Amino acid sequence: MNISKLIKSAFASGLLVAGAATMASAEEGVLRIGTEGDAPKFSMADPSGNVTGFDADIANGICAEMKVQCKFVVQTFSSLVPSMDSDRFDVIISGLGITAEREKKIDYSIPYATTPLYFVVAKDSPLAGLKSLDEIKKAIVGKSVGVPTGTTYARFIEKRMTGVDLKTYDAVTQLTADLASGRIDVAFGDSPTWVDFLATPDGANFAKVDVKIISTDDPEVLGRGMGVGMRKGNTDLKAKIDVALCKMINDGAVKKASMQWFQDDYTIPCKQ
């Protein structure tokens, strides 16, 4: 079922009223949220247990839409799925990527965010003013393109860009050093890497090509973005969260949070 049908069904069938067995904490006015708490900008917990960051903003927005109180439970990332199965919390909001392997164990909300990818070149490069992926694909034939080793970014270039001299790097610092010194023509990576690099003296003469690539451009390689994780079969809760997320996407709340924390829009559109 697509999201528009799901949302309409949720309203039509009264799913905005909590189910007796599947969402006890929300019936009591609380949504328990598992999060890492040690992932800067995404999820950060202070010594008092207060959680801030992009994940916290998404969680608080969902709770506001559902008219419940958020209660954060901070744990290591690797323990989140097992702990949710043990009923320590109701959902996971922790930059949780939607993967086929995790989908065997948990259900997901609609995807709401993804880390954008960009090409970066010298400001005086002919590539700097390109406006589409097709233009880039033609322009980088014969160029050297640097990417982090073993990433989805590298697989994207291998799949979508032919005739390039692909250079892989074990460390982002090696990649940016070669870009800054002119040993590669183009670099490809995620938005946080470029926000940091372009703010340095070495990055002063470089710019992102104004073509944002997100997971929906190639889900097979880049994945399907981030979603809220929940126990399997909790259809009432999923419907509520999907409705809340879609509203937050459409009214700009997800964009506002991502611009605050990442200086970029990480939103995945909600298609209705």
Side-chain angles (χ1 to χ4, degrees), residues 219-233:
E220 181 182 348
V221 172
L222 300 177
R224 302 201 331 262
M226 305 169 205
V228 176
M230 62 202 81
R231 285 185 292 278
K232 277 194 167 293

Side-chain angles (χ1 to χ4, degrees), residues 99-118:
T99 69
E101 188 61 30
R102 288 195 185 116
E103 283 183 313
K104 296 175 183 177
K105 301 176 181 178
I106 64 174
D107 285 341
Y108 281 98
S109 69
I110 59 169
Y112 60 87
T114 182
T115 305
L117 306 174
Y118 294 95

Side-chain angles (χ1 to χ4, degrees), residues 19-256:
T22 57
M23 198 175 169
S25 64
E27 284 186 289
E28 298 162 5
V30 175
L31 183 66
R32 301 171 300 166
I33 297 161
T35 194
E36 180 177 359
D38 190 25
K41 296 188 179 180
F42 276 96
S43 178
M44 300 166 289
D46 65 19
S48 300
N50 298 311
V51 180
T52 58
F54 179 67
D55 292 329
D57 288 352
I58 297 300
N60 285 321
I62 290 171
C63 289
E65 292 295 335
M66 292 172 58
K67 296 180 172 55
V68 297
Q69 178 184 350
C70 282
K71 178 181 179 181
F72 292 97
V73 180
V74 177
Q75 299 198 180
T76 60
F77 187 83
S78 61
S79 71
L80 288 173
V81 171
S83 292
M84 183 171 67
D85 286 342
S86 300
D87 198 33
R88 289 209 62 194
F89 38 82
D90 306 301
V91 298
I92 299 169
I93 303 179
S94 197
L96 191 66
I98 301 171
T99 69
E101 188 61 30
R102 288 195 185 116
E103 283 183 313
K104 296 175 183 177
K105 301 176 181 178
I106 64 174
D107 285 341
Y108 281 98
S109 69
I110 59 169
Y112 60 87
T114 182
T115 305
L117 306 174
Y118 294 95
F119 293 90
V120 168
V121 298
K123 287 181 177 178
D124 59 2
S125 167
L127 281 70
L130 299 182
K131 298 297 182 183
S132 74
L133 190 57
D134 285 341
E135 289 179 335
I136 294 172
K137 185 175 181 179
K138 294 174 184 176
I140 65 174
V141 172
K143 305 286 187 185
S144 53
V145 180
V147 293
T149 301
T151 59
T152 56
Y153 324 152
R155 293 197 292 274
F156 182 84
I157 296 297
E158 290 169 347
K159 177 182 176 181
R160 301 289 290 271
M161 306 291 160
T162 57
V164 303
D165 179 16
L166 185 63
K167 306 287 189 183
T168 58
Y169 295 85
D170 291 332
V172 169
T173 52
Q174 296 171 343
L175 168 62
T176 55
D178 273 11
L179 180 65
S181 65
R183 287 190 286 270
I184 56 174
D185 303 307
V186 184
F188 184 60
D190 60 38
S191 182
T193 295
W194 303 133
V195 168
D196 292 343
F197 172 67
L198 296 175
T200 67
D202 281 348
N205 295 321
F206 293 85
K208 294 187 299 185
V209 180
D210 191 21
V211 177
K212 178 187 292 188
I213 297 165
I214 63 173
S215 60
T216 52
D217 291 319
D218 193 338
E220 181 182 348
V221 172
L222 300 177
R224 302 201 331 262
M226 305 169 205
V228 176
M230 62 202 81
R231 285 185 292 278
K232 277 194 167 293
N234 200 339
T235 55
D236 288 8
L237 180 56
K238 174 175 167 52
K240 292 168 182 283
I241 290 177
D242 285 350
V243 170
L245 281 171
C246 205
K247 185 174 186 300
M248 291 170 64
I249 290 166
N250 290 337
D251 69 13
V254 176
K255 177 180 180 179
K256 180 180 178 181

